[in-house]
Amino acid sequence: MAAGEIAAVKPELGLVCVTAGTEVRFRALTRTRLLQRGEAERPALLRELYADNLRRVETAIAFCEANGIRLYRLSSALFPFADIEIGSGELDALAPELARIGERATASGIRLLMHPEQFVVLNSDTPQIIENSRQTLDFHARVLDNLQQPRSPWATLILHGGKGGRSERLIETIETLPERVRLRLALENDEDVYGPEDILAICRAVQIPMVYDVHHHVCKAKLTTYDDPAVAEMFWAARDTWHPTDWQLTHISNGRETFGDNRHSDMITAMPGIYRFAPWIEVEAKGKDLAIGALRDCWLPSAIQTTE
């Protein structure tokens, strides 16, 4: 596929979890702190924390509405311990509130997604880790269900490839995932083990979308420029895994000290030219909303002009 073969798009820039300031922040809870409470006290502690974080999710939706942000990644740490018995019931009790907030996001045209933590590994050598990973993914999917989000890649669940050299095991596990997980699942290339070509092959095998992360590609392949032909090649290849293609999700971050530094910078100072054709871009800079604002001022106007 070539640039001239697609319709012009206005890239939507997405906020990841929190803001640079205090506008959107969430509370956390460690296992140690939870276990310091008596067994009878724990449900009330979780109930109060979940309700508070849910109010903060609504604050995040309001922030996105006020700032014209149409893509928001929900934190994976909103409801600690809700994937096990002690917290599951407390989260279920909030289902009506989750539905109301999710419906508000949908009415405002805000796309919601989640990115479970790196400990979710579907192709581990250890069966129990695979089972725990399945349960964690199912929990995330249950949150999206309660938020009234569709069982489709629109409400994306993003996952990395996991254990190296075990592509076949990953394919086998994905094919047995519950529908509410599998229909939302997308795989992202990483900087250490699964490069974009590797993830693309897996995505094609199980017919799920690929989230192309250009910075991970740069780091793993030791590219020296976003103009490298491999960047455009992988962008278009990933696009073909999305149905519809205008749901394609990509990631952007820059190296902190050098172009190939795997640590994320505060702001985005370089963008791939091909991202002018990316409909949805998660901005993974430490500057969060400040980075989005700078891109809107300095990059987005030229991106729109080019695609038009």
Side-chain angles (χ1 to χ4, degrees):
M1 186 179 292
E5 297 176 9
I6 69 167
V9 297
K10 174 184 176 294
E12 298 288 350
L13 305 177
L15 176 64
V16 175
C17 301
V18 299
T19 53
T22 59
E23 295 93 336
V24 180
R25 293 284 152 177
F26 297 99
R27 290 173 55 190
L29 178 67
T30 65
R31 181 175 294 274
T32 298
R33 184 184 162 208
L34 180 66
L35 295 179
Q36 284 174 345
R37 298 293 187 96
E39 190 170 343
E41 297 177 86
R42 293 169 193 167
L45 174 62
L46 290 176
R47 188 180 314 124
E48 191 273 333
L49 185 144
Y50 294 174
D52 191 20
N53 275 350
L54 195 52
R55 287 190 291 269
R56 296 174 191 226
V57 170
E58 187 155 28
T59 299
I61 299 301
F63 181 89
C64 289
E65 290 171 339
N67 290 275
I69 295 172
R70 295 190 56 230
L71 177 63
Y72 179 62
R73 182 196 294 181
L74 294 154
S75 170
S76 290
L78 291 174
F79 308 115
F81 312 108
D83 57 338
I84 58 178
E85 185 176 355
I86 188 173
S88 181
E90 305 308 323
L91 181 60
D92 287 342
L94 293 172
E97 279 299 290
L98 279 161
R100 183 184 63 79
I101 292 171
E103 288 164 358
R104 174 176 177 176
T106 298
S108 297
I110 297 171
R111 182 178 179 180
L112 301 178
L113 54 88
M114 300 187 81
H115 193 338
E117 302 292 344
Q118 298 278 13
F119 62 77
V120 177
V121 179
L122 292 176
N123 55 357
S124 171
D125 294 324
T126 306
Q128 189 58 52
I129 291 178
I130 294 178
E131 181 57 31
N132 292 345
S133 298
R134 289 172 59 93
Q135 291 177 12
T136 299
L137 281 173
D138 193 57
F139 158 69
H140 283 78
R142 185 157 59 92
V143 170
L144 290 170
D145 275 353
N146 286 339
L147 285 164
Q148 304 300 302
Q149 298 305 294
R151 290 184 174 181
S152 75
W154 175 262
T156 323
L157 272 175
I158 307 169
L159 194 65
H160 289 290
K163 180 78 172 178
R166 290 177 62 84
S167 296
E168 290 303 319
R169 187 69 179 96
L170 179 57
I171 290 169
E172 292 170 4
T173 305
I174 288 173
E175 289 176 338
T176 64
L177 290 172
E179 181 179 88
R180 62 184 171 191
V181 175
R182 183 172 45 80
L183 294 181
R184 294 181 171 116
L185 191 65
L187 296 181
E188 175 191 353
N189 59 294
D190 65 72
E191 61 202 37
D192 296 317
V193 181
Y194 287 94
E197 300 89 350
D198 306 312
I199 286 296
L200 176 65
I202 297 168
C203 288
R204 285 172 170 169
V206 290
Q207 297 184 325
I208 63 173
M210 171 183 166
V211 175
Y212 177 55
D213 188 308
V214 69
H215 187 61
H216 287 165
H217 187 186
V218 162
C219 293
K220 189 170 193 311
K222 296 180 170 51
L223 305 181
T224 58
T225 173
Y226 285 143
D227 294 327
D228 191 295
V231 170
E233 178 184 351
M234 293 313 308
F235 171 85
W236 292 119
R239 186 181 185 84
D240 286 339
T241 65
W242 287 86
H243 304 288
T245 54
D246 59 6
W247 286 3
Q248 182 188 17
L249 178 66
T250 56
H251 286 175
I252 185 63
S253 56
N254 291 164
R256 184 186 301 175
E257 299 293 340
T258 63
F259 185 70
D261 188 347
N262 60 13
R263 297 170 300 171
H264 291 183
S265 61
D266 291 339
M267 307 295 282
I268 303 297
T269 57
M271 287 287 281
I274 201 66
Y275 270 27
R276 292 181 171 89
F277 300 95
W280 301 88
I281 306 172
E282 275 196 281
V283 180
E284 294 190 316
K286 292 184 178 298
K288 303 292 183 177
D289 52 308
L290 300 181
I292 291 174
L295 283 172
R296 283 176 164 177
D297 291 340
C298 301
W299 176 76
L300 196 55
S302 64
I304 296 171
Q305 184 177 11
T306 299
T307 55
E308 290 176 349

